[in-house]
């Protein structure tokens, strides 16, 4: 068979871009090659790979998992079933940190997953900073560490297995920083929204990286309690404001609820929100 035969066979069942990527992946060629050579003859192994990948996609497995990679902020990241697939809207978290252009700061990425956020920051920030990626999942951290090496920033980032900031409450691991920036894309889907997600998401992406209680705010409230504990015990010093900044990805409908939640724990904090390219509230940030 030739490439064109597969387009004729599956074009009514699969998105054309997905089909192009699947064939390119099976042939270990570029997408441009596939489009430019529809008469290319396939061998049996190539045909078997195409059929296997098509079968997986027809079962709604995300194309990123089939290809084993996803682009984020101009970089390539390995992804698998242990990590959430990086979304374009999450690039806004990276943008917000880059706007600050921090110097001599400790930047902590909570729920690092594939490491896409902290690796993008380490790659693009040329100022002297300390980079830390934290995840509760050891398997996710293995993916993040691989991606750090792949993008040549592994020597700049320390990856830690921890339930959010718990690691820093041990006696031997006290957090020391002149300025702390917490970047977090934690699970934030409510039970209702999660129940309505597509099969691509619900049946394949890790539930623990998506769902966060009835209203989707369980993880963020837990984080705020930890920050409050951090503030009270050791950081920042009394009377010094503006030492800690948190930048969070949220679900658009959570704007009012998360604003109230932040004010509950940090009454003096100034809360700001930014919209994504679709015009939806996507980023919440505050400073204490």
């Amino acid at each position: 068979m030739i490439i064109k035969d597969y387009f004729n066979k599956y074009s009514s069942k699969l998105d054309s871009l997905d089909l192009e990527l699947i064939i390119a992946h099976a042939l270990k060629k570029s997408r441009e090659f596939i489009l430019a050579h529809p008469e290319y003859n396939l061998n049996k192994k190539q045909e078997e790979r195409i059929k296997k990948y098509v079968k997986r996609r027809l079962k709604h497995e995300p194309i990123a998992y089939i290809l084993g990679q996803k682009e984020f902020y101009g970089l390539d990241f390995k992804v698998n079933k242990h990590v959430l697939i990086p979304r374009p809207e999450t690039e806004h978290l990276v943008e917000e940190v880059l706007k600050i252009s921090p110097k001599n700061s400790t930047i902590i990425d909570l729920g690092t997953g594939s490491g896409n956020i902290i690796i993008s920051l380490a790659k693009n920030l040329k100022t002297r900073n300390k980079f830390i990626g934290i995840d509760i999942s050891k398997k996710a951290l293995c993916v993040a560490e691989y991606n750090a090496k792949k993008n040549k920033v592994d020597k700049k980032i320390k990856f830690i297995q921890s339930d959010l900031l718990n690691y820093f409450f041990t006696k031997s691991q006290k957090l020391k920083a002149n300025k702390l920036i917490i970047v977090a894309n934690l699970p934030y889907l409510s039970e209702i929204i999660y129940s309505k997600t597509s099969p691509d998401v619900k049946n394949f992406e890790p539930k623990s990286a998506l769902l966060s209680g009835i209203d989707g705010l369980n993880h963020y409230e837990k984080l705020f309690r930890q920050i409050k504990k951090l503030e009270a015990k050791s950081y920042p010093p009394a009377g010094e404001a503006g030492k800690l900044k948190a930048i969070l990805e949220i679900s658009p409908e959570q704007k009012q609820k998360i604003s109230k939640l932040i004010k509950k724990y940090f009454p003096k904090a100034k809360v700001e929100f930014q919209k994504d390219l679709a015009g939806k509230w996507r980023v919440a940030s505050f400073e204490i």
Side-chain angles (χ1 to χ4, degrees), residues 167-181:
Y167 173 84
F168 298 108
F169 295 122
T170 60
K171 290 182 180 179
S172 61
Q173 300 296 340
K174 187 176 180 181
L175 182 62
K176 296 178 180 180
N178 292 324
K179 186 168 180 65
L180 180 62
I181 298 172

Side-chain angles (χ1 to χ4, degrees), residues 245-258:
K245 187 175 181 69
I247 301 171
L248 324 168
E249 181 171 321
I250 63 169
S251 189
E253 80 285 348
Q254 293 173 333
K255 182 175 182 287
Q256 296 302 322
K257 284 186 177 181
I258 201 163

Side-chain angles (χ1 to χ4, degrees), residues 42-198:
L42 306 171
N43 60 43
K44 286 186 178 180
K45 286 187 178 180
Q46 291 170 333
E47 290 184 14
E48 288 172 2
R49 283 198 294 266
I50 292 173
K51 289 176 183 177
K52 182 177 71 174
Y53 298 151
V54 166
K55 186 177 180 180
R56 289 169 64 182
R57 188 66 190 110
L58 288 173
K59 290 182 178 179
H60 300 288
E61 184 173 351
I63 190 70
Y65 287 160
I66 296 171
L67 303 181
Q69 70 89 34
K70 179 70 175 179
E71 183 181 335
F72 179 87
Y73 215 76
L75 302 172
D76 286 326
F77 291 87
K78 172 187 175 180
V79 293
N80 60 27
K81 64 181 182 179
H82 302 300
V83 299
L84 197 67
I85 298 169
R87 267 69 167 175
E89 55 265 30
T90 302
E91 293 185 355
H92 286 270
L93 292 181
V94 177
E95 292 287 354
E96 288 304 311
V97 178
L98 294 179
K99 282 180 186 177
I100 302 169
S101 296
K103 295 179 181 178
N104 300 315
S105 299
T106 296
I107 302 172
I108 299 178
D109 173 27
L110 293 175
T112 196
S114 66
N116 56 302
I117 295 172
I118 199 70
I119 289 169
S120 297
L121 290 171
K123 195 77 175 177
N124 285 277
L125 279 170
K126 306 303 180 186
T127 52
R128 184 177 296 177
N129 297 288
K130 185 177 181 181
F131 300 94
I132 301 172
I134 292 177
D135 206 287
I136 197 169
S137 167
K138 187 176 182 179
K139 290 180 178 179
L141 288 173
C142 287
V143 177
E145 288 169 351
Y146 174 90
N147 284 325
K149 289 180 181 178
K150 181 180 180 181
N151 287 288
K152 300 179 181 178
V153 289
D154 52 302
K155 288 179 170 49
K156 295 177 69 175
I157 305 171
K158 181 177 182 179
F159 289 104
I160 298 168
Q161 185 178 9
S162 173
D163 185 359
L164 303 180
L165 296 171
N166 275 350
Y167 173 84
F168 298 108
F169 295 122
T170 60
K171 290 182 180 179
S172 61
Q173 300 296 340
K174 187 176 180 181
L175 182 62
K176 296 178 180 180
N178 292 324
K179 186 168 180 65
L180 180 62
I181 298 172
I182 292 175
V183 189
N185 181 18
L186 299 180
Y188 59 66
L189 294 188
S190 66
E191 288 182 356
I192 292 175
I193 291 179
Y194 181 78
S195 69
K196 295 178 180 177
T197 56
S198 68

